[in-house]
Amino acid sequence: MKKHKITILFLLFISLVVLSSFILPTIEKEQKYAKQLKYDKVSQNYVFWFFLRIQVDARKKEFRISGPASRATSGTVRDFEKSLWNGISHRQIAIGPFTNYDEAENARLLYQRNKEKVMFRKSENAPEELNWFLITFRYLKRARAYRLEPMPARLATGSANNFVDALYEGLAFSNLVIGPFWDYQAAEEAKKMYRKNE
């Protein structure tokens, strides 16, 4: 009987160790993510963005989205500019900066590998008219990085459906649509940040 109790206690101990190895990292990851998304709602100093991996097909002269967009991250405008530059050097494009998490999350769901997989999740605060602009870049084999290329681009305005049409049409011509932004002025400011890195 005593041997049986020791075996049960040993199994319980092993179960707790195994469970804690799965649960604790998950809790820490969620806490880190929650902390990352915390921002000053009063000063509105923080912005949101996410990363997108793009495959460049030089032969066909087209782009393809190669996977799901990353979770939204937050920081200052300066943090976004650093992420934009770092992302380009690691073959990722930072999409943003968005003024709030909902705006970034709604945008993130529109960037899918296939047009049929696009998910619309409109926030209550989202306007009917959205704003976006085009960028283009090329892959530098030696540097194993992207380089933004100068291109004339004005802001476009339309519905979420118009944005998705523009996104997939642009990919076929080696252009990437950045957005959609809820505010026209915020889209203008974002466009200037990309132009600074060309």
Side-chain angles (χ1 to χ4, degrees), residues 66 81 89-91 94 108 113 119 121 139 177 179 198:
S66 65
E81 288 180 317
S89 62
H90 292 93
R91 292 181 291 167
R108 188 182 73 81
R113 278 187 206 186
M119 293 177 280
R121 196 200 83 187
Y139 177 60
V177 176
E198 287 177 347

Side-chain angles (χ1 to χ4, degrees), residues 4-180:
H4 184 66
K5 279 184 177 178
I6 291 171
T7 306
I8 291 172
L9 286 172
F10 180 73
L11 288 173
L12 279 170
F13 175 74
I14 295 295
S15 300
L16 285 171
V17 169
V18 170
L19 278 173
S20 66
S21 68
F22 286 109
I23 293 170
L24 288 176
T26 306
I27 291 169
E28 285 171 8
K29 202 182 280 183
E30 289 302 319
Q31 286 173 342
K32 185 179 176 185
Y33 181 59
K35 192 176 180 183
Q36 195 176 26
L37 289 179
K38 193 177 179 186
Y39 66 104
D40 184 353
K41 291 181 181 176
V42 177
S43 67
Q44 297 288 313
N45 283 336
Y46 278 62
V47 293
F48 296 82
W49 65 92
F50 54 88
F51 290 98
L52 192 64
R53 286 200 174 276
I54 300 286
Q55 287 179 334
V56 177
D57 189 329
R59 192 176 54 81
K60 289 184 178 177
K61 294 185 179 174
E62 66 180 27
F63 294 161
R64 280 192 305 276
I65 297 171
S66 65
S70 70
R71 282 210 256 188
T73 188
S74 65
T76 63
V77 170
R78 189 175 171 85
D79 293 333
F80 169 75
E81 288 180 317
K82 284 181 189 171
S83 290
L84 176 59
W85 189 85
N86 286 333
I88 290 165
S89 62
H90 292 93
R91 292 181 291 167
Q92 306 185 83
I93 303 293
I95 309 290
F98 299 97
T99 54
N100 64 67
Y101 177 75
D102 277 351
E103 183 182 12
E105 186 60 16
N106 274 261
R108 188 182 73 81
L109 295 173
L110 300 177
Y111 288 89
Q112 302 291 328
R113 278 187 206 186
N114 303 319
K115 194 173 180 180
E116 294 75 36
K117 291 184 178 179
V118 170
M119 293 177 280
F120 290 96
R121 196 200 83 187
K122 192 179 173 205
S123 166
E124 289 177 17
N125 303 323
E128 291 301 319
E129 283 206 333
L130 304 168
N131 308 282
W132 61 87
F133 57 90
L134 292 172
I135 64 165
T136 192
F137 53 90
R138 66 188 180 99
Y139 177 60
L140 305 173
K141 283 185 183 176
R142 283 191 179 178
R144 293 184 179 180
Y146 293 146
R147 186 176 80 195
L148 289 175
E149 298 282 294
M151 71 175 291
R154 60 180 182 78
L155 287 186
T157 301
S159 67
N161 281 321
N162 297 146
F163 171 81
V164 171
D165 289 341
L167 171 62
Y168 290 95
E169 190 179 308
L171 291 170
F173 295 98
S174 298
N175 294 316
L176 179 63
V177 176
I178 304 295

